[in-house]
Amino acid sequence: MKHHVAERMRGISSFYVMELLQRAKQLEQQGRDIIHMEIGEPDFETPQAILDAGKVFMQGREVKYTAAAGLPELRRSIADYYQTQYGVNLDPKRVFITPGASGAFLLAFGISLNPGEQILMADPCYPCNDNFVQLFDGKTQFVNVGADTAYQLNAELIRQHWQPASKGVLIASPSNPTGTLIGNDALRDAIQQTHALGGCFYSDEIYHGLVYGETVSSALEFSDDVFVINSFSKFFGMTGWRIGWLIVPEYFIDAVEKLAQNIFISTPTHSQYAALACFSAENMTELHSRRDEFEKRRDFLYDNLLCLGFKIACKPQGAFYIYADCSAFTDDSFEFARQLLEQEGVAVTPGKDFGHYLANQHIRFAYTASIDRMTAALQRLERFICP
């Protein structure tokens, strides 16, 4: 019997940073002190209110499947959150609880994307989104973006790059790796342009809540006919709990429930009960305090990277990343990141993880470490570039 990997896997890319992360762990096992600025995972622990809710559930009953769409009370809580946060009247039936934002993307593309159809995405962007498209035998149409559009697609770029095979547009705001936002008017115009072309609009909002000094809108404020992907991982600090959500147009409710039943059965039950505590006043106060700390970290890292000679085209407005031009020091950001790890014990993510456009001259720094740890990292970085 011959064994062959499916052809679709030819286009599925790996994270280059995982090679660096594996090496970082090897160095740590050897006793080296490694400062991690490569992984998009907050260093804060899961908030106590969420831990307590999870413990109460685990101690008080058996852990059984929920409905594939998720706990009704959690779906209602999310709908209420959209009313409070964005002024959107959302039917809880359109809200589906998923195993992280990744599960939400799988459902969204699985119910809407046909083989050969294309999704427009910005380059640079989060690489898994391209892989999700390819998993369903679709294709990603990358559009080079830069500082002139805050690294975001807009209505004009969508119109210019739309092709007969185009199915839809994905916009992430705040974005990974750049941390930039699309303006509210630009978001509305991008949605309207996509719909005028007969396409689907997918809004990646997983970093909502982690926005600094700006007002951010949900795509749902401008249209009910959009897919919205969000997560409890980033702002809510529940990375390892693997829980997110997907909001779909009413037309897709039956289809997404059917697919969720077959792919996931349900999202982990204990995670759903724990997530019910996310929207309490006590927990939101804690989360806003953490957001303020991320803003301080952003300002600290941004100012110091500029002082070291890195170029940063757009100051991040959200998330917890800075996408820095390192061309003053190297023309190969992956090799730069590898040597920085080996010589100085600082782990960062090379630009080639996020696409092709000017990737070799960019590094992503995650300010998910404390200011004390970042101070040490910057001292090591200065020593590395100015030996």
Side-chain angles (χ1 to χ4, degrees), residues 370-384:
S370 69
I371 287 180
D372 285 345
R373 290 293 279 168
M374 288 196 295
T375 298
L378 288 162
Q379 292 170 347
R380 298 180 189 186
L381 181 57
E382 182 176 15
R383 188 166 60 210
F384 178 71

Side-chain angles (χ1 to χ4, degrees), residues 29 34 61 106 157 162 164 173 204 211 233 245 309 332 367 378:
Q29 291 173 352
I34 305 299
R61 67 194 78 182
L106 289 174
L157 287 172
W162 194 265
S173 176
D204 177 348
V211 175
S233 291
W245 70 86
D332 185 345
Y367 45 94
L378 288 162

Side-chain angles (χ1 to χ4, degrees), residues 6 30 46 49 55 63 76 105 153 162 188 198 254 257 270 282 285 290 299 312 326 335:
Q30 296 170 13
T46 300
K55 289 177 183 177
V63 182
R76 285 195 300 271
F105 271 110
L153 296 179
W162 194 265
R188 179 200 60 217
D254 291 342
E257 184 153 17
H270 63 289
E282 169 197 2
T285 298
R290 295 181 179 195
D299 293 342
I312 305 170
C326 58
E335 184 61 19

Side-chain angles (χ1 to χ4, degrees), residues 174-211:
S175 69
N176 178 7
T178 63
T180 57
L181 301 176
I182 183 171
N184 295 337
D185 290 345
L187 175 60
R188 179 200 60 217
D189 293 346
I191 293 170
Q192 291 177 350
Q193 178 67 84
T194 302
H195 288 165
L197 292 166
C200 295
F201 191 88
Y202 308 86
S203 186
D204 177 348
E205 301 179 3
I206 72 171
Y207 291 100
H208 273 217
L210 293 174
V211 175

Side-chain angles (χ1 to χ4, degrees), residues 40-330:
E41 182 171 35
D43 60 332
F44 296 109
E45 297 178 353
T46 300
Q48 191 61 48
I50 298 172
L51 289 173
D52 290 344
K55 289 177 183 177
V56 168
F57 170 73
M58 294 287 286
Q59 293 170 355
R61 67 194 78 182
E62 294 182 284
V63 182
K64 301 289 189 181
Y65 295 132
T66 69
L71 287 174
E73 54 265 52
L74 183 55
R75 299 169 77 191
R76 285 195 300 271
S77 292
I78 291 172
D80 291 343
Y81 179 71
Y82 277 83
Q83 179 65 63
T84 301
Q85 192 74 13
Y86 306 105
V88 170
N89 185 18
L90 177 62
D91 186 344
K93 292 180 180 178
R94 294 171 56 198
V95 180
F96 290 82
I97 311 303
T98 60
S102 298
F105 271 110
L106 289 174
L107 291 179
F109 289 143
I111 62 172
S112 63
L113 186 63
N114 294 307
E117 292 180 333
Q118 298 178 352
I119 301 294
L120 274 68
M121 295 184 200
D123 184 348
C125 68
Y126 181 59
C128 286
N129 297 341
D130 170 39
N131 289 333
F132 294 144
V133 170
Q134 295 200 48
L135 185 64
F136 293 104
D137 296 321
K139 296 182 179 180
T140 298
Q141 185 179 350
F142 289 110
V143 178
N144 295 345
V145 292
D148 58 327
T149 64
Y151 294 101
Q152 295 283 352
L153 296 179
N154 58 26
E156 180 59 23
L157 287 172
I158 292 167
R159 186 191 65 78
Q160 289 177 6
H161 292 274
W162 194 265
Q163 297 180 1
S166 298
K167 176 59 176 278
V169 175
L170 170 63
I171 287 181
S173 176
S175 69
N176 178 7
T178 63
T180 57
L181 301 176
I182 183 171
N184 295 337
D185 290 345
L187 175 60
R188 179 200 60 217
D189 293 346
I191 293 170
Q192 291 177 350
Q193 178 67 84
T194 302
H195 288 165
L197 292 166
C200 295
F201 191 88
Y202 308 86
S203 186
D204 177 348
E205 301 179 3
I206 72 171
Y207 291 100
H208 273 217
L210 293 174
V211 175
Y212 314 116
E214 304 282 346
T215 300
V216 64
S217 291
S218 170
L220 290 165
E221 294 179 53
F222 306 113
S223 175
D224 282 333
D225 192 21
V226 292
F227 294 87
V228 172
I229 295 93
N230 211 321
S231 173
F232 287 99
S233 291
K234 308 301 183 182
F235 175 62
F236 294 100
M238 295 182 67
T239 51
W241 297 78
R242 303 313 302 134
I243 179 169
W245 70 86
L246 171 67
I247 299 169
V248 302
E250 186 174 358
Y251 174 81
F252 289 93
I253 289 175
D254 291 342
V256 73
E257 184 153 17
K258 185 190 306 182
L259 187 58
Q261 290 169 348
N262 282 276
I263 295 181
F264 304 129
I265 307 298
S266 68
T267 297
T269 304
H270 63 289
S271 298
Q272 295 190 59
Y273 277 97
L276 284 170
C278 281
F279 304 107
S280 69
E282 169 197 2
N283 193 59
M284 292 301 290
T285 298
E286 171 66 21
L287 295 177
H288 289 150
S289 175
R290 295 181 179 195
R291 179 194 60 199
D292 293 344
E293 174 61 23
F294 277 124
E295 184 174 8
K296 293 176 184 176
R297 294 179 183 185
R298 177 203 61 173
D299 293 342
F300 172 81
L301 183 59
Y302 176 82
D303 291 342
N304 280 278
L305 287 175
L306 289 177
C307 287
L308 288 177
F310 289 87
K311 302 171 188 176
I312 305 170
C314 296
K315 186 174 184 178
Q317 302 152 293
F320 33 63
Y321 308 114
I322 291 179
Y323 198 57
D325 184 336
C326 58
S327 59
F329 314 111
T330 183

Side-chain angles (χ1 to χ4, degrees), residues 8-27:
R8 69 173 59 88
M9 289 302 298
R10 292 182 181 274
I12 304 296
S13 61
S14 300
F15 271 135
Y16 293 101
V17 73
M18 297 311 293
E19 177 183 334
L20 297 172
L21 180 61
Q22 182 179 11
R23 179 57 180 159
K25 291 181 177 179
Q26 291 174 348
L27 294 173

